Structures are given as C-alpha cells and as structure tokens.
C-alpha cells in the first residue's frame, strides 16, 4: 500500500476496510463481553476505565465507580450497601439510588472486584462497568422492554375498563348473570399478562428483598397486586363464595399501568440528567485508525494508544486524546466540554481535546495525552463524583424510607383487622388501598430527581457539578468572594497608560516600542504590540536579555532599549534630570533611545469583559461581593474600583486568605469562593461553596464544587439562580409528598379510597414529583444582567 501524501487530508485505506467502517464506533463504546463470573472486572486493562488507585501511606486503595443493575428504589440502595459492608477489603460502599451508581473503595491486597461483584449478585443485583451498562444497545434494550410492559398494561387496562364499565352504570340485575360472568372472565384473561409480564419487575424485586429479610418499596406494591388478583380470581371462579362481589381487575390493571408510567418517566429523567455523564463517557471511539511508520493505517483499541501516536479522526468521530492538529484545519465541536455551542476551527499546530467531535473531513492528529491524563478524563472524574454524591436531604429521605415501609405494612394490616370487625367484605379492599397509596416513591424521588436534573442542565451548559450537596448550600449563600488574578482579570497584561517625554506622542512611542517588541514572545512585548496595532518599522537586530528586556540597533545605527527601568539605565537620580517617571505600584516597561528616556508603558491586567455584568447581577440577587487577592494593594484597588467592589483584602498570602474567609464565616456569613490559581486551593476547600474556572490549575478544580469550563463569570450567576430554583423545587416536592400522605392515608383507612383510586393517587404523586423536577431539565438560564436588575425582588423564587 502506498503511503499517504502530506498535502492530502484523506487517509489511506486501512487493511480491514473491506469489512466496512463499522469498526470505527464513533458514537459510543461497544459493549464489553462480561462473563457471568465477573472475571472481567479483575482485568487491569478494563479497570482503567472505572477504577482509580490511590496511595494512602503504605496502603494502596482502589476507588471504583460501577452501575448497579436491578435497582428501583432507595431500599435497593441499602440492600447493595449491606451486601458489601463488612466484607474483607471493603473500606466504603455508597450507592446513589437515583443514578444507580456505586462508589466502592476497596483494598486490592485483601479483595478482588469479581468477588465483591459476586456478593452483590447473590443479593439479586449486578455490577457492571459504566461503559457496558450505558452502551447504546443496552440502553435501547432496557427502554424497549419498559415500553412493552407499559403498552401491555395500558392496552389491557383499556379493555378491562370497557368490560367493567357496565357494572358501574347499571343497577343490580339489569345485566343477565351469564353476561356479567362472561365479562368477568374476559377481564381475568386480560389481567393475566399484566400480572405475569407487566408486573414482573415488582415481583422480582419484592422476592429478592424478602429472601434477604428486607422490606423494599416493591414489597407493598407486589402484595397489593397479588392480593387484588387472587381475590378477584376467587370471585371469578366462585361467584357465590365469600369474595363473590370483590372484582378488582380494573384497579389492578390501572395501578400497574400508572406505576409503570411513573417509572418510565423516572427512567427518562435519569437519561436526561445522569445521562449527561453517560453521553460524555461514551463519546470516545472504541477503536481508532493509527498511522504506522510506513504511512499505512492500522485499527487499534483506544486503550492501546500512547503519547506520540499519529491517528486519523474521521468526520463525526470524537478525538481519542488531547493532541495537535497535523492537517491544514479541523472544524471541532467542543460544546459538551466547554459549553460553547458554536463550532471552532483548529488549524495546523493548534490543540484539540479528547471528547470533542470532528465535524468535517478526516483529520490527522498527533496525540500528546491519552487516558486519564487528558482533560476529558478529568472532566469525567469530576462528573462521576457528582453522580454518586448523596445530598443531605436525599440521605434523610433514604433513612426515612425503610422504617416508613414497615409502618405501611403495619397500617395496612391494622386497617384490614379494624374493618373486618364491621364489614368483612370491605376489609381486604381497605388493606390493599392502604398498601398501595402509602408507597413512599414520591418521598424518595423528591430530592435526587430535582438535583440530578439541575446537575444535568449545568453539564449541558459546560458547568461541572462535583457535589450535589453544593446545590443546596449554594441556594443559601449571602456572600461571593472573588480572587483577582485570572478570575476577575485576564491571564495576560495590557497597556493601561503611556507616559512620554516632551515632544513625543503616545502613538509614536508605541510604534517605536512595538518595533522592538515584535521580535519577542514575552507577555509584556505582546501587550505592547497589541496596543500599537500594526508595526510600521523594524530594527535590523534585536537581542533579548532574559529577565530584563530588549536591546536593538536600527538601520541608522541608533541604539534602543525596551524593558525595566534598570535595563534602560534609569534610576531615581537620572529620572530627575531627564523627566523620566514610572509607577511605584504597577508593573511597567520603559523605552529609551540615544537621548535617554522616551516613554513608560504602564501595564495592568485586563479586566474580563463580563466581570462587571456578573458582579451587578450577583448584587441584584441580594448577595454581598468581596475581593480577596494576593496582589499588591494598588492593583487590587484599581480592579475593585473599576468593578464597583467596596470590600477589598489585598497583599494576602494563602494563609491570610484562609484567615479572612474564616473571619467572615465566624461572623455568620455563608461564603461562595470563586478562584482559579493554585494558591486558592485552601480557601476553596474551606468555603461553603467553591467555584473554579476551567482554565485554572487542576488542583484548584479538585477543591471546587463547581467547575466553569468556559471560564465565563456570568455562569456563576446562572448557577446561583439554578441552585435557588432547585432548592425551591425540592421543597415543593417534599411538601407535596407530605401533603399527599397526610390526605391519602386517612381516606384509605376510612374506606373512602378504593384500590384503583389508591393506585392512581400513588402513581400521580410520583409523576408530580418527577414532572416538577423535569422543569429544571428545561431550564434555559436567566435574562441578561440588565433584566436581572429589573427583577431583583423575584430572583430568589423558584
């Protein structure tokens, strides 16, 4: 095969091209082949995708993030945690019920992951790597099965209601007994597939819980379904018996349909929120085309790539690692990584990041970082942590759920015994209604549904949430503290003022200085060139003195110097004679010619364009804004004055920053800190809520609760608003769950709520909670700051 041409961006055909391009899985990773004995979980190569190894002193600790299949409720999470607790080598196991993710910290010297997975398997659940559990084929199969169950329940419910309706609208005796019996037989036949197929997940989960001597949320549901069907069947087979009047096929099918509908919506909500992480993780291709030394291509697994490899990335495929573009240009979509919705163009020599998509043509890329060293992997790690975090309100709801279920069973039994004394024919109906109506699904979904919806919305905006609990804390803050350098200001210097000697115009001085500075890449040189615009003349020779400045000689033989005052030969005595001046509290560069001092360029960090807008919007939300900087007092004061910040702490070391933050917290303030530098790590860790900007130091991001990938400060405002809306919806959901139970339970116990109404009420309560949380999934952010200012009184409401 002939090697490719360097001028052609079309890759050579790979050796296995005859098999088609199906080997290039551009949208997701393919499913792993997991054996029943879970041995694949012990493969070190596979563990790289879901396990991180930490060295804690002399001990190596592994932290794995896995998906638990077969979970439906908070009680299931407790079951999985109990199956792992106390086993040799298990240091910590935490399951998030809403996302079905397990965070497992274990000692590889004392346990194997396959053994721990087998222990969970004996409890009735299955541990899978996230890439397999959330592969497109697996998710499609799961959704299709749920839709089939929902369809069967809905179709049978409509037919059963049609056969039952005549008994509701006619007087006894109006319909001949043989017709009544025929309608009952037809209802029974239609209820069998609802019991055996549509209700399968409820019975499977309930049986698993009972075998483990636990009570999960599906236990009362399964009991209600089974009792309703058995009693209705007895009445159908023996119309003159003690249960002859108790026909509840309509209640049974309606209850199963509404409950399955609620769980399907919950599944879709999880796809929209936790699915933001799943979509991110499955962006990388399973296999890529790597270039051989002779220029031909070979398909290799993503795990086999090494820094320095040259790969071809086809249109629609994600870049497998961080690298450098070798083709002429590439059109790249980085929306999921940065929040920027517009495609960007990367030219030859410019960087591309793993996880971003190539939108047009085939691109040749030299990889620089792969695997866990990429920015993509760091983002995934941050989002994994958020998806397994349990907010305080969610942990409280989980603790309440288990004893509440025991109380439900006791209440149903007591209600049935009470009614048996007065009206045995209604006792069973009341007990079933109490079992169904008090299922605490809405209570368990109230908090995680809203917070996961908010985290998913932020992920789509390019803001990563590391702790769901931070959303609750952020809603209650009253102070926002900003670092200065790199946060409120840009990460480059600009020319703020130009001071010149008599007879020299500022524009003239800038042109002369830019002629020297154009030969240097120093930040000060680039600032001068940027301020001058086009450079009209250039010296013949420029020499750079590291740490001091530039020396040049023009074509007329005149000497020029650009740099620090000392580099230009200026001192306090010389400045008196030449009229030279330079600021004492700001960085500067001086320009000198053969006559001496010509100009001083006062430098400053450029303030971010959106900084003032963000600060005004935060004030409109009723928040106090402070500036906490380690820079000189003069520089900090200038930035604060430009942005309208009155409270400034400058010249602060990392220890002084931490002390200032602690003083504010001891005074009762709840503080959110926004920073990007390495020295901001301690205050970010100590703040009630911490924001890190995407361009900041990696260590800073590990201390933050939110990482703003785009670096736009206005996103901080949007996160605050969303946090307030989220907490408002959480409170609405909890209030609804409480009010529902306070109203529904007495009605069921008093006999005013038949089983079909109980099923409808329980399903409706869950749907209300999920639907209310889904509003956060459609959250599009606030109006610009000028509109926020006009609506400040309403800003804190949901």
């Amino acid at each position: 095969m002939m090697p490719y041409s360097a001028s052609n961006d079309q890759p050579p055909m790979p050796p296995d091209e005859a098999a088609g391009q199906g080997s290039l899985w551009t949208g997701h990773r393919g499913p792993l082949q997991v054996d029943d004995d879970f041995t694949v979980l012990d493969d070190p190569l596979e563990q790289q995708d879901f396990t991180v190894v930490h060295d804690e002193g002399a001990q190596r600790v592994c932290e794995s993030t896995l998906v638990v299949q077969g979970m439906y409720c908070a009680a299931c999470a407790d079951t999985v945690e109990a199956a792992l607790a106390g086993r040799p080598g298990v240091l910590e196991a935490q399951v998030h019920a809403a996302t079905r993710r397990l965070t497992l910290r274990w000692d590889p010297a004392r346990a194997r992951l396959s053994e721990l997975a087998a222990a969970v398997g004996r409890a009735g659940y299955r541990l899978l790597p996230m890439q397999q559990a959330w592969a497109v084929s697996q998710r499609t199969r799961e959704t299709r099965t749920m839709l089939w169950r929902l369809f069967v329940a809905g179709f049978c419910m409509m037919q059963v209601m049609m056969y039952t309706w005549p008994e509701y609208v006619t007087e006894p005796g109006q319909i001949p007994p043989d017709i009544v019996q025929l309608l009952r037989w037809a209802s029974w036949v239609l209820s069998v597939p609802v019991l055996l197929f549509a209700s399968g997940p409820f019975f499977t989960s309930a049986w698993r819980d009972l075998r483990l001597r636990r009570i999960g949320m599906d236990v009362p549901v399964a009991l209600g379904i089974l009792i309703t069907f058995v009693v209705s069947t007895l009445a159908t087979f023996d119309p003159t018996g003690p249960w002859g009047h108790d026909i509840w096929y309509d209640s049974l099918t309606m209850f199963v349909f509404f409950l399955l509908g609620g769980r399907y919506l919950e599944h879709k909500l999880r796809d929209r929120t936790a699915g933001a992480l799943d979509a991110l993780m499955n962006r990388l291709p399973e296999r890529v085309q790597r270039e051989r030394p002779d220029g031909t291509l070979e398909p290799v697994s993503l795990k086999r790539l090494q820094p320095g490899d040259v790969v071809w990335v086809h249109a629609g495929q994600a870049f497998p690692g961080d690298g450098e573009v070798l083709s002429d240009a590439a059109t790249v979509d980085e929306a999921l990584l940065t929040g920027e919705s517009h495609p960007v163009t990367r030219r030859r020599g410019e960087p591309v990041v793993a996880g971003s998509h190539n939108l047009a043509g085939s691109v040749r890329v030299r990889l620089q970082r792969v695997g866990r060293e990429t920015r993509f992997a760091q983002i995934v790690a941050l989002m994994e942590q958020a998806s397994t975090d349990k907010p305080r309100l969610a942990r409280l709801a989980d603790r309440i759920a288990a004893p509440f279920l025991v109380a439900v069973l006791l209440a149903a039994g007591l209600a049935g015994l009470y009614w048996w004394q007065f009206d045995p024919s209604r006792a069973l109906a009341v007990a079933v209604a109490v079992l169904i109506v008090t299922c605490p699904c809405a209570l368990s979904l109230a908090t995680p549904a809203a917070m996961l919806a908010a985290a998913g919305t932020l992920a789509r905006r390019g803001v990563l949430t590391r702790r769901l609990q931070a959303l609750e804390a952020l809603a209650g803050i009253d102070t926002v503290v900003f670092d200065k350098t790199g946060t409120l200001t840009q990460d480059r210097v600009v020319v703020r003022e130009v001071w010149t000697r008599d007879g020299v115009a500022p524009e003239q001085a800038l042109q002369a200085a830019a002629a020297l500075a154009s030969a240097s890449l120093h930040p000060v040189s680039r600032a001068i060139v940027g301020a001058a615009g086009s450079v009209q003349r250039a010296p013949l020779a420029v020499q750079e003195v590291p740490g001091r400045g530039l020396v040049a000689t023009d074509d007329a033989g005149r000497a020029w110097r650009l740099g620090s005052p000392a580099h230009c030969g200026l001192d306090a005595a010389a400045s008196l004679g030449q009229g030279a001046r330079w600021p004492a509290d700001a960085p500067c560069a001086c320009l000198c010619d053969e006559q001496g001092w010509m100009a001083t360029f006062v430098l400053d960090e450029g303030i971010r364009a959106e900084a003032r807008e963000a600060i005004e919007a935060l004030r409109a939300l009723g928040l106090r804004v402070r500036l906490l900087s380690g820079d000189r007092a003069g520089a900090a004061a200038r930035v604060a004055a430009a942005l309208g910040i009155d409270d400034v702490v400058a010249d602060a070391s990392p220890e002084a920053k931490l002390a200032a933050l602690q003083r504010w917290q001891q005074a009762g303030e709840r503080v959110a800190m926004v920073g990007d530098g390495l020295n901001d790590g301690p205050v970010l860790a100590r703040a009630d809520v911490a924001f890190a900007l995407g361009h900041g130091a990696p260590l800073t991001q590990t201390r933050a609760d939110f990482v703003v990938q785009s670096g736009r400060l206005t996103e901080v405002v949007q996160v605050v608003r969303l946090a307030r809306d989220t907490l408002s919806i959480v409170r609405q959901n909890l209030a609804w769950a409480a009010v529902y139970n306070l109203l529904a339970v007495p009605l069921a116990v008093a006999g005013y709520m038949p089983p079909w109404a109980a099923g409808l009420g329980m399903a409706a309560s869950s749907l209300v909670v999920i639907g209310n949380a889904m509003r956060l999934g459609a959250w599009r952010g606030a109006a610009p700051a000028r509109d926020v200012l006009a609506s400040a009184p309403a800003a804190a409401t949901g």
Side-chain angles (χ1 to χ4, degrees):
M1 182 173 293
M2 296 296 293
Y4 69 92
S5 171
S7 61
N8 186 3
D9 281 349
Q10 294 301 319
M13 298 294 286
D16 62 344
E17 190 65 27
Q21 293 189 359
S23 61
L24 297 175
W25 297 356
T26 60
H28 61 88
R29 296 192 182 189
L32 302 173
Q33 298 300 318
V34 180
D35 298 329
D36 291 337
D37 59 358
F38 304 106
T39 53
V40 71
L41 296 177
D42 294 328
D43 185 345
L45 194 61
E46 297 295 345
Q47 284 188 5
Q48 293 177 7
D49 287 334
F50 55 84
T51 300
V52 179
V53 180
H54 303 283
D55 289 325
E56 299 181 0
Q59 184 183 21
R60 293 177 69 248
V61 175
C62 292
E63 183 172 322
S64 301
T65 303
L66 300 164
V67 172
V68 185
Q69 279 195 338
M71 277 185 53
Y72 295 99
C73 63
C76 294
D78 293 338
T79 303
V80 175
E81 291 176 356
L84 293 169
R87 292 192 62 84
V90 175
L91 305 178
E92 181 182 0
Q94 185 177 25
V95 180
H96 193 294
T99 60
R100 297 186 291 183
R101 283 179 172 83
L102 164 68
T103 299
L104 180 64
R105 297 182 72 250
W106 52 286
D107 183 357
R110 301 174 56 201
R112 297 175 61 192
L113 199 54
S114 59
E115 296 171 349
L116 303 180
V120 174
R122 287 191 292 272
Y125 303 89
R126 191 177 187 189
L127 297 184
L128 294 176
M130 209 166 307
Q131 285 80 4
Q132 179 191 0
W134 293 110
V136 171
S137 58
Q138 173 68 22
R139 298 173 69 172
T140 302
R141 185 164 52 251
E142 183 179 358
T143 302
R144 185 183 295 119
T145 302
M146 294 184 73
L147 283 173
W148 268 112
R149 295 186 193 277
L150 184 62
F151 169 76
V152 169
F155 177 81
C156 294
M157 177 194 71
M158 290 188 294
Q159 298 302 313
V160 169
M161 290 297 295
M162 183 175 67
Y163 295 147
T164 308
W165 181 249
E167 291 195 61
Y168 282 107
V169 297
T170 59
E171 297 294 332
Q174 285 186 294
I175 305 177
D178 57 337
I179 300 299
V180 172
Q181 189 63 17
L182 179 63
L183 294 175
R184 291 185 175 184
W185 273 105
S187 298
W188 181 84
V189 170
L190 288 166
S191 299
V192 170
V194 175
L195 179 80
L196 298 181
F197 174 68
S199 303
F202 308 130
F203 289 112
T204 301
S205 179
W207 175 244
R208 178 177 57 216
D209 290 333
L210 292 176
R211 281 193 300 109
L212 297 173
R213 296 183 177 87
R214 299 176 64 88
I215 298 178
M217 290 188 188
D218 283 335
V219 170
V221 170
L223 281 175
I225 294 172
L226 188 61
I227 292 172
T228 302
F229 181 80
V230 168
V231 172
S232 299
T233 300
L234 292 176
T236 302
F237 281 84
D238 186 11
T240 61
W243 312 105
H245 298 287
D246 295 324
I247 302 295
W248 297 329
Y249 297 122
D250 55 338
S251 300
L252 166 67
T253 54
M254 187 182 298
F255 170 55
V256 173
F257 173 73
F258 282 118
L259 189 57
L260 287 174
R263 291 200 173 176
Y264 176 74
L265 286 180
E266 179 190 350
H267 169 75
K268 298 303 291 183
L269 175 66
R270 184 165 51 239
D271 266 5
R272 287 179 59 182
T273 54
L277 170 60
D278 307 327
L280 182 65
M281 293 188 63
N282 290 304
R283 285 173 75 89
L284 299 187
E286 176 70 13
R287 297 171 68 82
V288 295
Q289 298 285 30
R290 183 171 63 184
E291 186 177 290
R292 295 190 181 100
D294 62 357
T296 60
L297 300 183
E298 60 175 341
V300 297
S301 168
L302 184 74
K303 301 182 181 68
R304 303 296 179 185
L305 293 177
Q306 298 292 330
D309 286 347
V310 175
V311 298
W312 283 87
V313 181
H314 300 283
Q317 190 176 17
F319 291 96
D322 296 346
E324 174 189 0
V325 176
L326 299 181
S327 301
D328 291 336
T331 303
V332 182
D333 176 13
E334 298 180 348
L336 198 56
L337 299 178
T338 65
E340 295 287 353
S341 59
H342 301 292
V344 295
T345 300
R346 301 297 183 198
R347 304 195 180 278
R348 186 190 302 271
E350 293 186 341
V352 289
V353 294
S356 58
H357 270 109
N358 174 29
L359 297 181
S362 296
V363 179
R364 188 165 171 256
V365 177
R366 177 181 288 111
L367 299 179
Q368 297 169 335
R369 288 179 295 276
V370 296
R372 293 193 177 274
E373 302 302 319
T374 63
R375 182 182 175 193
F376 172 85
Q378 295 165 4
I379 292 173
V380 169
L382 293 175
M383 293 188 68
E384 279 181 348
Q385 184 171 348
S387 69
T388 55
D389 181 45
K390 279 189 179 181
R392 180 181 58 85
L393 292 175
R395 290 195 297 267
L396 178 62
D398 290 352
R399 287 196 297 268
I400 293 174
F404 186 81
L405 287 169
V406 176
V408 166
L409 295 177
L410 291 176
L414 293 175
L417 290 176
Y418 174 81
W419 276 94
W420 188 269
Q421 302 174 20
F422 303 101
D423 189 353
S425 64
R426 297 184 62 187
L428 204 55
V430 170
V432 170
V434 173
L435 271 178
I436 294 173
V437 82
T438 53
C439 184
C441 293
L443 178 66
S444 293
L445 288 173
T447 298
M451 294 210 173
L452 282 172
T457 297
L458 290 177
R460 288 189 291 273
R461 294 183 67 100
V463 179
L464 307 183
T465 306
R466 293 187 65 248
R467 283 195 315 124
L468 292 180
Q469 177 65 37
L471 286 166
E472 181 183 347
L474 184 60
I477 65 164
D478 51 32
T479 302
V480 180
V481 179
F482 286 94
D483 175 49
K484 182 184 75 69
T485 305
T487 302
L488 292 175
T489 62
Q490 300 171 359
D491 54 358
R492 57 185 175 87
V493 294
V494 295
V495 176
R496 176 165 57 89
E497 288 185 82
V498 181
W499 301 340
T500 62
R501 73 188 179 200
D502 294 340
V504 178
E507 295 78 11
Q508 180 184 355
L510 275 172
Q511 282 294 321
L516 279 73
S518 60
S520 171
L521 295 177
H522 192 278
V524 174
S525 298
R526 297 173 66 181
I528 292 174
V529 172
S534 60
V535 181
Q536 297 178 355
R537 64 187 181 90
L540 291 178
V542 178
Q543 179 183 0
E544 185 165 4
V545 181
R548 296 178 64 85
L550 302 169
V551 178
T553 303
D554 63 15
D555 51 6
R558 290 177 298 184
W560 297 82
R561 285 180 177 267
L562 175 66
S564 65
H567 174 67
C568 294
L570 301 175
D571 55 27
S575 67
L576 294 177
Q578 300 179 5
R581 59 193 183 102
W582 54 88
D585 61 345
C588 68
C590 294
L591 176 66
C592 295
D593 59 8
E594 292 182 329
Q595 301 178 35
W597 175 77
M598 175 183 284
T600 296
F601 306 99
V602 183
L603 304 171
D604 204 353
E605 297 159 303
I607 297 176
R608 289 180 178 272
E610 78 280 7
R612 174 173 283 277
E613 179 185 359
I615 289 171
E616 290 176 351
L618 289 172
R619 284 208 180 94
L621 294 175
L623 300 174
R624 182 187 298 109
V625 179
R626 300 180 186 272
L627 177 61
L628 181 60
S629 176
D631 205 350
R632 298 179 305 275
R638 281 194 300 273
V639 171
L643 298 175
I645 301 176
D646 299 324
D647 196 339
V648 180
V649 176
D651 286 320
S653 64
E655 294 79 9
K657 285 185 175 183
L658 184 59
L661 181 70
Q662 291 173 331
R663 286 197 307 272
W664 296 328
Q665 290 177 323
Q666 290 168 2
E669 296 182 22
R670 288 166 293 181
V671 181
M673 179 73 196
V674 185
D676 78 319
L678 192 62
N679 62 342
D680 295 324
V683 288
L684 289 172
R686 183 67 174 82
D688 297 281
V689 182
F691 288 86
L693 303 186
H695 59 261
L699 182 59
T700 302
Q701 296 184 15
T702 64
R703 298 291 190 271
D705 301 307
F706 300 96
V707 179
V708 182
Q709 288 293 105
S710 66
R712 292 190 300 265
L713 296 178
T714 48
E715 290 297 329
V716 175
V717 182
Q718 302 296 354
V719 178
V720 173
R721 291 177 62 88
L722 181 59
R724 292 183 176 185
D725 289 350
T726 301
L727 192 60
S728 175
I729 284 181
V730 167
R731 288 169 176 164
Q732 292 169 14
N733 286 348
L734 291 174
W736 163 254
V739 170
Y740 161 75
N741 281 285
L742 288 175
L743 294 177
V745 173
L747 289 175
V749 171
Y752 292 113
M753 184 174 288
W756 68 265
L760 178 60
M762 193 278 288
S765 66
S766 296
L767 292 180
V768 167
V769 166
I770 293 172
N772 198 28
M774 281 179 129
R775 294 194 295 130
L776 293 169
W779 196 86
R780 289 293 179 266
R786 57 181 179 274
D787 299 328
V788 174
L789 295 172
S791 59
T797 65

